[in-house]
Amino acid sequence: CKGIFKASSACPKALAKVFTEISSTVTDTKMELIDSDTKLRRTVRPVNRIAQSKIAHVLRKYDPKYWTFFKTTERVEWAYYRASKGRIGKWSPKKFMNHNAFPPEVTVGVIISNGPFAEGAERYARLCYEAYKDSRGIIHTAGVPLVAKESRFLEDKNNERLKTFQRRFCKVQSIASRYAEAFNKKLREIPGVRSSTPRVNFLDCSVYMVRDESKNVEDAWLVEKMVDYKGYVKFNNNQGYVFRSGEENPFGETKEALQIKPVKKNNFLFEINEGSEEEQNEQSDHERDSLNVSQKCESIVIKNEDIPQAFSCFSYWYSKYKHIVVDLQGVFDREQSPPVYILTDPALHSRLHDYQSKLKYGRTDKGYQGILAFSKSHECSPLCKALKSRWLLPGEKDSSCGIA
């Protein structure tokens, strides 16, 4: 069991934050003890963590004291392809990121740090490079620093669950990336949105099947590019926590005023009553998507910090209320144009009739209760509403209502 000590203050906001953190800690501890799939206790793997102050030193050069070389046998990605029935997803083999940099007739693989530098509720994150071993046995790194992720629990290291565990996380991140593309496209359609308005991207990830030749052991790792670990922020989680402007803000309070004229507005905000999931699904698509025509000019203000929460809200609407993308975490990159939230490790809550399929997207899938938790802490911003509106080009007529 683990716990945290907090010195309280008389401020209600500070006390609320303390109780939120304590609640999350208790839930995380329960998840460590009980496997939601098997209802059995799980054993956390003991590791020697890398202190944040030493990360730069470890990354500087290959040192056998900090790294282990693994021969890579396979690399796959979950990718979407256009088909007659729409987009379909499937696993596709991929070459190494730096395959053009590898000399011929070398042993190709990855080097992974002997200890993690970060951890979440389900996985450890270790430092990683693509690498190769030459004929003399000397190991050379190639490309940029990467992150390799593995399960925190011994039970997930057996061969039967190895690939399934990593592929499930990789698939969730790929689905979230697809929704981010739709979000960015919809954002560009809103009149008045400028090029400086932040976008949302998820890191591309792959599953590497590797072999430790010294131990003759096979393993699976989810690998992605490394982001600035010093600027890493959690914008919301899968238990209802939402980043508030009153908290420490790593990206400032930049506001962008937009003058917009909605022509067709979707009335559905993020409002969910306390009825059962079956009662919610009895509501027809027409009732949920009823439209209200408005000619009123509105002036709205979009804060940068609204973007991640609006994306979660948008994902529920865009998926036709089937699931929502939460647990948004990563960095806010101001150097790109437009600025971008580079995110990783999302969770999907699925809204299904079949409760036995609740864990379709892994142990972090809280199902309909997870969606309710987000709805209770989320208040739709003007951006949420604008993303659910239909916009007409200047001079275009709406045939359904006769408004230009």
Side-chain angles (χ1 to χ4, degrees), residues 82-333:
R82 294 192 178 278
S84 57
K85 296 182 179 181
R87 285 191 173 187
I88 59 172
K90 65 179 183 179
W91 290 104
S92 302
K94 295 291 182 180
K95 294 181 179 179
F96 271 69
M97 299 180 191
N98 302 284
H99 64 276
N100 291 327
F102 297 140
E105 299 181 2
V106 295
T107 302
V108 178
V110 292
I111 58 169
I112 298 175
S113 62
N114 295 329
F117 70 96
E119 64 180 281
E122 290 289 327
R123 294 180 295 172
Y124 289 126
R126 301 185 185 234
L127 306 173
C128 177
Y129 278 103
E130 286 190 340
Y132 64 91
K133 186 186 295 185
D134 64 22
S135 57
R136 297 175 295 171
I138 299 175
I139 295 173
H140 307 265
T141 61
V144 298
L146 307 172
V147 174
K149 299 176 181 178
E150 62 173 343
S151 173
R152 296 178 62 237
F153 305 101
L154 288 173
E155 290 76 9
D156 292 323
K157 298 298 284 186
N158 68 65
N159 289 332
E160 293 182 5
R161 301 176 67 174
L162 201 60
K163 189 180 294 187
T164 302
F165 176 84
Q166 296 291 21
R167 286 193 172 193
R168 183 176 284 172
F169 279 101
C170 188
K171 183 176 179 179
V172 166
Q173 194 155 317
S174 298
I175 293 172
S177 181
R178 183 183 170 201
Y179 287 164
E181 291 177 9
F183 175 86
N184 294 336
K185 180 180 179 181
K186 190 70 175 177
L187 191 62
R188 290 193 298 268
E189 293 175 359
I190 300 175
V193 169
R194 298 180 294 181
S195 60
S196 59
T197 303
R199 306 303 198 258
V200 172
N201 285 335
F202 284 86
L203 292 171
D204 294 329
C205 60
S206 308
V207 176
Y208 284 62
M209 296 301 299
V210 303
R211 178 174 292 278
D212 185 345
E213 294 181 311
S214 63
K215 300 178 181 178
N216 197 29
V217 174
E218 193 173 56
D219 204 349
W221 298 81
L222 186 147
V223 178
E224 62 190 19
K225 290 184 178 179
M226 189 176 192
V227 297
D228 179 15
Y229 56 90
K230 295 180 180 179
Y232 203 85
V233 177
K234 186 176 282 270
F235 302 104
N236 63 36
N237 68 10
N238 62 346
Q239 298 172 39
Y241 163 78
V242 172
F243 180 88
R244 304 294 185 189
S245 60
E247 301 175 36
E248 183 180 352
N249 193 339
F251 42 83
E253 288 278 346
T254 303
K255 299 180 181 180
E256 296 189 325
L258 306 178
Q259 297 289 333
I260 62 174
K261 182 179 180 180
V263 176
K264 267 190 161 185
K265 178 174 288 188
N266 191 319
N267 279 336
F268 179 81
L269 304 183
F270 215 108
E271 298 173 356
I272 305 177
N273 60 38
E274 296 296 333
S276 68
E277 183 176 349
E278 286 78 12
E279 291 171 346
Q280 292 293 323
N281 277 291
E282 287 176 359
Q283 188 180 27
S284 69
D285 289 340
H286 176 73
E287 291 172 320
R288 286 188 303 203
D289 295 329
S290 60
L291 295 174
N292 178 43
V293 177
S294 172
Q295 299 183 68
K296 182 182 176 181
C297 289
E298 297 181 2
S299 177
I300 67 171
V301 175
I302 297 177
K303 299 179 182 180
N304 285 353
E305 67 183 55
D306 291 339
I307 300 289
Q309 315 313 331
F311 169 74
S312 288
C313 185
F314 172 84
S315 68
Y316 187 63
W317 174 79
Y318 184 78
S319 69
K320 298 180 180 179
Y321 320 116
K322 293 178 181 177
H323 40 242
I324 185 172
V325 182
V326 292
D327 207 9
L328 303 183
Q329 53 196 304
V331 298
F332 182 61
D333 187 354

Side-chain angles (χ1 to χ4, degrees), residues 42 61 68 78 81 119 142 227 235 317 370 380 403-404:
R42 294 188 290 169
K61 65 177 181 177
T68 298
W78 181 261
Y81 300 89
E119 64 180 281
V227 297
F235 302 104
W317 174 79
C380 276
I403 296 177

Side-chain angles (χ1 to χ4, degrees), residues 9-20:
S9 70
C11 174
K13 184 180 290 187
L15 286 173
K17 184 178 179 181
V18 167
F19 285 119
T20 299

